[in-house]
Amino acid sequence: MDNNNTFFGQTLGRTGSGRAPYQFSIDAVKEFQVNTNSYSAEFGRAGGAVINVVTKSGTNEFHGTAFWYYRDKALNATDFFSNARRLPKPPFHINQFGGNVGGPISKDKAFFFFLYDGQRQKLPNVVIPGGPGFVPPSDPDSQRAFQSLLALAQSYTRTFDQDVFMGKGDWQISTAHRLSGRYNAQRFTGGNLENPGQTSALEHTGDSLVQTDTLTLSLSSTLTTRWANEFRLQIARDKQPGKANSDKPEAEIRERGRVVLTIGRNFFSPRETTIRRYQIVNNLSALIGRHGIKLGVDINIDRIKNFFPGQFGGQYFFDSLAQFATGRPSRYVQAFAGEGTTGPLTFPHNSEFAGFFQDDWRVTPRLTLNVGIRYDLQDIADPPTRNPDPGLAALGLRTDRINLDTNNVAPRFGFAWSPLTNHRLVIRGGYGIFYARTPSIMAAQAHSQNAINVRVLTFTGDLVPTYPQRFDRPPAGGIPSPPSIFVFAPDYVNPYIQQGSFGLEYELLPNLSISASYLAVKGTHLHRTRNINLLPPVLAQIELVGEGIRTYRRFPGRLLPQFVRISLFESTANSIYHGATFQVQKRFSHNVQFLLSYTISKAIDDTPDATSVVAFSSGDDAKQVQDPFNLRDDRGISYTDIPQRFVLSWIWDLAYARNLQNRAARAILGGWSVSGILTAHSAPAYSALVGTDLNNDTNARTDRVPGFGRNTFRGFTFISLDPRVTREIGLGEQAKLHFIFEGFNVLNRTNFRTIS
């Protein structure tokens, strides 16, 4: 069943995104499969890879496990920045614990499996007003304001606490029918995760919550000696509310253009995004001669509620500490719901329909062909409000329409050929088209940010309310801020990926093989957000120190003055990837297993991104192109480009020590295994930015130094050695105890991620 969050474009629960660590316990996983290219037409709605996970079931014997993992700062080295500032180790504490039990309800007929997994983690959030090295002005007003902010600038703790429960039952109804049911619940509390940071006070953050529930049923039926059917049903909920630690309006205090501290309720809290899913899948398969036929349908209905109250709580802006001391901000901004609209509450429902046909044809004992075709249709609810502005109409833009892309036909082809009679050489290859989703977060912005649902007023001078007050309703005298809107391009379509691969694998010895493979991936119609409310650029000049005069393009103003930005969701971005991978693999034998992999690759794109959805957000603005009139100017090395990557993973089981004659040696050496992963890769690319809106397109996060292309510099290489040592101790015939020690980056190498 589909375990993706169609709103954010991540997994359910947004696991691995810096919030919830996992949705399913690793102790529940029986096996998993990673389909990276040329995969079956059965799978879709993803342009990259498909990961398939099978959970454990009960058996005819009772089995159970219990586990506890512990991490603490006492086991950690002091990090680079703490060393540089001569600070002690920051607090760090993780406990993960749980267990499972499974067995028969009725022998050979019915089975159960139950699991619990809990995690408790605490991390510090150090608050440094103004950031490291900040010194406030010495005048009395600034000093008085700074001292008052210090009382709100206490460091606080972030928590990552989670509980996961899973129950599963299997019932062999008859020799022809098997029914399975699984329920998984995830409850995550991310204390103070809503908006932490060095200049974010405790009252400016809040708890991030995740509550996921998935109930799945599967009925597998043998219809005849050739035909089998599998019916699956899923009902799921992914609820992600964000809380606020304060109800006071947000106040941002700056000094010399630098944020000193942000206090009050952060502008997007409290929020909530909830998905309720209903999915039905039915697959019919048959073995007919040399053909393995499979065909099926997949209907996925998501009903989505999104509440994102940006600026509805009010925002005060103080340009200096002295302003804050006197209580006179430079401006106050507050948003209000448009009359007769749902304001910031949206329902960007998502409905998906798919069908496929797959034929795995064993042409000869040495040649297999995999041929398939898939059709995908994604229907996202149109926004309910149309902005009647004639300027938008003249541009052919409608805020109440999302184009329905109906021609997403995806052929798939693959082959495996063993040209030698001893089958030691296998040649594989394939080609396929893979259509990806449009995340509903894009639609949610188009639903609400249309200059009708949300009305933003700016107050200055005597019209500013007394801090920390806010308005209950739109007052007279406020200046309507020129709005920024989000709208889909009339010709918007779903992105698609073309993948082609070719590889050879040769068996040198039993359980030892070498392989070489080539992969090409081309992305077409990829998502992009582009500001089109600009007049054509004109040439301007600037003098760079030591470089002389440089010419660049500058935008003289807005095309439609009644709007600040018109952010167009369009499908005009592209990407291309070429990679060659060389592997040496030894399958587990003689107590040793290893996989050595070396990849040479290159990725080029023109800044595709589906998540630039908040105007003037520093993170989202950085995802856009530098010149909205010259998209080709952003074509360059991708942010994800890693020219070289080396990975070595291994397992060494010292099982031979169990056969030692010396009892002392056997007791000391027996039961040990050593494993680990060594990862090394090239430095990622970055651009030389000027840090200001040089070209006057209202976006200061993308302007490069004139004369420099995108991603023309490289950062730092990455090397990490992560070993694991395990000791198994037998406790009679029925139980075993494992002691596990894991280390991450045990060489203590400083690996920098970004340059800013």
Side-chain angles (χ1 to χ4, degrees), residues 130 152 171 180 240 277 286 361 441 514 529 550 612 718 752:
L152 299 174
W171 178 24
S180 295
Q240 299 187 35
R277 170 167 300 160
W361 178 21
I441 190 173
I514 59 173
T529 305
R550 294 285 179 89
S612 182
F718 176 93
F752 294 102

Side-chain angles (χ1 to χ4, degrees), residues 26 53 158 160 164 190 199-200 204-205 288 304 312 420 461 482 526 717 722 728:
I26 193 173
V53 178
R158 294 172 291 149
F160 299 77
V164 171
T199 59
S200 182
H204 190 243
T205 183
I288 304 175
I304 302 173
F312 275 74
L420 304 180
L526 304 182
T717 57
D722 308 329
E728 178 185 296

Side-chain angles (χ1 to χ4, degrees), residues 644-665:
Q644 299 183 72
R645 183 188 296 272
F646 173 86
V647 180
L648 171 63
S649 60
W650 72 92
I651 299 173
W652 179 28
D653 187 353
L654 279 68
Y656 60 83
R658 300 169 188 153
N659 300 321
L660 294 176
Q661 297 299 317
N662 187 293
R663 294 182 61 183

Side-chain angles (χ1 to χ4, degrees), residues 618-695:
S618 59
D620 285 13
D621 275 7
K623 301 170 185 175
Q624 300 186 13
V625 295
Q626 174 185 243
D627 187 344
F629 272 71
N630 183 13
L631 303 181
R632 182 79 180 180
D633 184 53
D634 260 54
R635 180 175 170 82
I637 296 297
S638 172
Y639 289 113
T640 60
D641 178 66
I642 301 295
Q644 299 183 72
R645 183 188 296 272
F646 173 86
V647 180
L648 171 63
S649 60
W650 72 92
I651 299 173
W652 179 28
D653 187 353
L654 279 68
Y656 60 83
R658 300 169 188 153
N659 300 321
L660 294 176
Q661 297 299 317
N662 187 293
R663 294 182 61 183
R666 186 168 66 247
I668 295 173
L669 299 176
W672 292 92
S673 66
V674 181
S675 59
I677 302 175
L678 172 64
T679 304
H681 63 68
S682 306
Y686 71 95
S687 300
L689 303 177
V690 296
T692 188
D693 188 14
L694 184 66
N695 66 0

Side-chain angles (χ1 to χ4, degrees), residues 6 48 110 237 334 381 485 538 586 667:
T6 55
R237 182 191 69 162
Q334 187 173 343
I485 68 171
V538 296
K586 183 186 183 302

Side-chain angles (χ1 to χ4, degrees), residues 8 14 267-268 308 441-442 445 486 528-531 565 567 569 607-625 639 698-702:
F8 292 106
R14 299 176 72 188
F267 79 96
F268 59 78
F308 189 83
I441 190 173
M442 298 168 64
Q445 287 299 89
F486 288 83
R528 192 204 311 272
T529 305
R530 181 169 64 99
N531 177 21
R565 286 189 192 177
S567 295
F569 290 134
T607 319
D609 195 278
T611 58
S612 182
V613 293
V614 180
F616 303 101
S617 162
S618 59
D620 285 13
D621 275 7
K623 301 170 185 175
Q624 300 186 13
V625 295
Y639 289 113
T698 74
N699 185 352
R701 302 290 175 174
T702 60

